[in-house]
Amino acid sequence: QVQLVESGGGLVQAGGSLRLSCAASGRTFSTGGMGWFRQAPGREREFVAAITWSGGDTLLGDSVKGRFTISRDYAKNTVYLQMNRLNPEDTALYYCASTFAWQTTARATDYDYWGQGTQVTVSA
């Protein structure tokens, strides 16, 4: 069993930055990969970023490359999403998810557990 709780969302002006956190609990946290997805109203869920259990490999969605970074802190059982140069198109509900897969994956169906989401709103 894995439990995930996101935090760090909020309202920010275009060009600003936010850092999202995902606190994880459960025995599988250290052996599974983690990912971030987002979903805006009327749109399908979109892959944002992923990181392996070791933290040695990451994957970023095309729309966020060069602006977002994903990292992992084993001591705090937490995964972070640093978001820079935000624009209104980044407005969405951001979800943290975990997978038992050993490799990074952008497919939502590969993830087994999901958090409740944290809202990010970017004003023009």
Side-chain angles (χ1 to χ4, degrees), residues 12 16 18 20-21 27-28 32-33 38 42 44-45 47 69-71 75 89 94-95 98 103 107-108 110 115 120 122:
V12 64
L18 284 174
L20 305 184
S21 299
R27 291 178 294 178
T28 61
R38 66 187 184 185
E44 294 185 343
R45 188 163 297 186
F47 170 75
T69 57
I70 185 171
S71 61
E89 287 69 44
Y94 283 70
Y95 296 93
S98 66
Q103 298 173 308
R107 294 178 58 87
D110 289 337
V120 172
V122 185

Side-chain angles (χ1 to χ4, degrees), residues 57-94:
D57 192 21
T58 61
L59 180 67
L60 295 173
D62 291 339
S63 64
V64 303
K65 288 181 179 178
R67 299 189 298 124
F68 291 10
T69 57
I70 185 171
S71 61
R72 190 167 187 166
D73 187 331
Y74 287 97
K76 298 181 179 179
N77 281 346
T78 301
V79 174
Y80 302 98
L81 182 68
Q82 179 65 48
M83 307 185 295
N84 299 322
R85 293 186 286 128
L86 288 162
N87 58 64
E89 287 69 44
D90 295 315
T91 295
L93 187 64
Y94 283 70

Side-chain angles (χ1 to χ4, degrees), residues 21-43:
S21 299
C22 175
S25 61
R27 291 178 294 178
T28 61
F29 178 74
S30 63
T31 58
M34 302 291 294
W36 287 95
F37 292 78
R38 66 187 184 185
Q39 188 167 24
R43 301 178 64 180

